[in-house]
Amino acid sequence: MSEIISTLAILISIASSAAGLGYWLARQFEKIARQFEKIDIQFKEMERRMERLERGIFSFNELLLKVLEEKDVISRTEAISLMAALQSMIPSSRTKYYTKEVENRLRELLGKDPEKYTLEDIKELERIADIMEDEYMVSGRKELIDYAAKLRVAALVLKVVFVEPKMRKLKEWPLGY
């Protein structure tokens, strides 16, 4: 009988220790979960700030390009040279998002007569830059992210040098873009 009582005492001791450890672990996991929630909130805020920063940089670039175009610092000749340079640097397509069709469309857009660019063409160039960025996130192909940045700047140049002057003449200004 004493062995049973002794065994029961040991089992009760083990059970209470296990319960205490379980309670302590549960509190620790709650703390960890709260920390992850805080990190998640901070990460989302950082993403929002990055988006605002990106928009701010591109808005500033666009404004700067407009000023330079007004002062005839950036002319049609420079814009055409930029397009030719971009055409010679087009990355090859070989992956998930940046397909051969997208590459061919990019070649077609960059080979287009600059005087015939439309706002839709500019938006399409930006969509292709988005596709390249998506592809970079999956494949890690650095040349895509580098080219996407150049393509975005080129789209701004085309918009400022070729599209906006036509829109002003047609009284479709300011662009709702």
Side-chain angles (χ1 to χ4, degrees):
M1 181 81 160
S2 72
E3 286 181 21
I4 294 175
I5 293 174
S6 175
T7 305
L8 262 168
I10 292 172
L11 287 176
I12 290 172
S13 174
I14 291 172
S16 68
S17 293
L21 179 62
Y23 176 74
W24 180 82
L25 282 174
R27 283 193 335 220
Q28 296 307 312
F29 282 126
E30 284 178 28
K31 288 179 185 177
I32 291 170
R34 283 194 301 272
Q35 288 299 321
F36 274 115
E37 288 172 7
K38 287 179 186 176
I39 290 169
D40 190 45
I41 290 168
Q42 290 172 346
F43 185 74
K44 287 177 182 174
E45 178 61 25
M46 189 183 328
E47 280 186 339
R48 282 192 294 272
R49 287 181 177 193
M50 292 291 288
E51 288 173 13
R52 286 195 311 256
L53 178 62
E54 180 183 28
R55 278 196 311 271
I57 289 170
F58 277 102
S59 293
F60 176 77
N61 284 345
E62 184 174 0
L63 178 62
L64 180 61
L65 287 170
K66 287 178 183 182
V67 169
L68 294 175
E69 192 266 340
E70 275 296 315
K71 293 184 171 278
D72 289 327
V73 174
I74 296 178
S75 69
R76 292 177 174 330
T77 304
E78 283 88 13
I80 291 168
S81 296
L82 174 64
M83 302 324 296
L86 273 178
Q87 224 172 355
S88 70
M89 300 165 45
I90 293 176
S92 63
S93 58
R94 61 175 185 254
T95 42
K96 186 174 181 179
Y97 301 108
Y98 181 56
T99 62
K100 191 66 175 169
E101 292 79 24
V102 174
E103 178 186 346
N104 289 339
R105 181 61 182 144
L106 177 59
R107 289 184 187 285
E108 183 182 321
L109 285 168
L110 293 178
K112 187 174 183 174
D113 177 357
E115 298 295 335
K116 295 187 178 172
Y117 273 101
T118 66
L119 193 55
E120 281 304 310
D121 294 330
I122 302 306
K123 288 179 183 177
E124 191 166 0
L125 288 171
E126 291 171 349
R127 281 191 295 270
I128 292 172
D130 289 340
I131 289 169
M132 289 178 164
E133 290 168 356
D134 290 344
E135 186 66 46
Y136 164 76
M137 294 302 287
V138 172
S139 70
R141 289 181 57 199
K142 188 175 179 334
E143 73 272 15
L144 291 176
I145 197 79
D146 292 344
Y147 191 87
K150 292 172 184 140
L151 187 58
R152 287 190 188 285
V153 171
L156 279 176
V157 170
L158 289 170
K159 179 181 169 189
V160 168
V161 174
F162 294 104
V163 176
E164 288 181 352
K166 286 190 293 190
M167 301 300 280
R168 281 193 294 266
K169 285 180 186 174
L170 296 172
K171 306 282 192 247
E172 295 179 19
W173 191 259
L175 296 175
Y177 175 56

